[in-house]
Amino acid sequence: MASTSNPDTHESPQKSVYKDPDDGRQRFLLELEFVQCLANPTYIHYLAQNRYFEDEAFIGYLKYLQYWKRPEYIKFIMYPHCLFFLELLQNPTFRNAMAHPANKEVAHRQQFYFWKNYRNNRLKHILPRPLPEPATAPSSAPPASLPSSVAPPAAPPPAPTPVTAAALSPMQYAIPPGSGLAKTDPRNASVDRRKRNRKDG
């Protein structure tokens, strides 16, 4: 009896491809959380102390995670320092150095100083500058001695005013000085309330 090959019964060898039940959402969130943990120098120090950086598979994972620098992924990052540290972790010298507590403290201190001064440095460039003072109006009649084709010389630009104080914080722009609006400070109100209660009681 001759057997006929039926395509329905003959199974072709196919690789079984893993399919995430949630379409990769869980993996995305785990990798996002891990990448953002790299913004903490203490966590990097912990990884170095526990010899994670000696594992070639872990080093490969850090290289793989660099896809977070692409624009379609970077928008999910809340702590941008993690990308800076991810780049530094590609260097074996930095990985070895982070095993020492003094280097962890240096990295943490530098990160703190960046956060401390970043806002003030940006405010110097984005706050509105005072408007130049209006120039006095020239006389209404032009001098008769000048020919009509030659324009009178332009007034020199006003001298820059020296900056006497540091850049004001944005909160100082909220209420203009001398306005009739009263500042409400809840701390002062509660102190007065306590004083009243003591007098009444």
Side-chain angles (χ1 to χ4, degrees), residues 185-196:
D185 189 0
R187 292 175 294 180
N188 292 341
S190 64
V191 171
D192 293 341
R193 196 176 311 128
R194 278 186 242 136
K195 288 180 181 176
R196 270 188 260 125

Side-chain angles (χ1 to χ4, degrees), residues 27-42:
R27 177 180 170 185
F28 175 81
L29 292 175
L30 287 173
E31 290 179 358
L32 175 63
E33 182 178 358
F34 176 74
V35 167
Q36 293 193 103
C37 284
L38 296 178
N40 185 348
T42 305

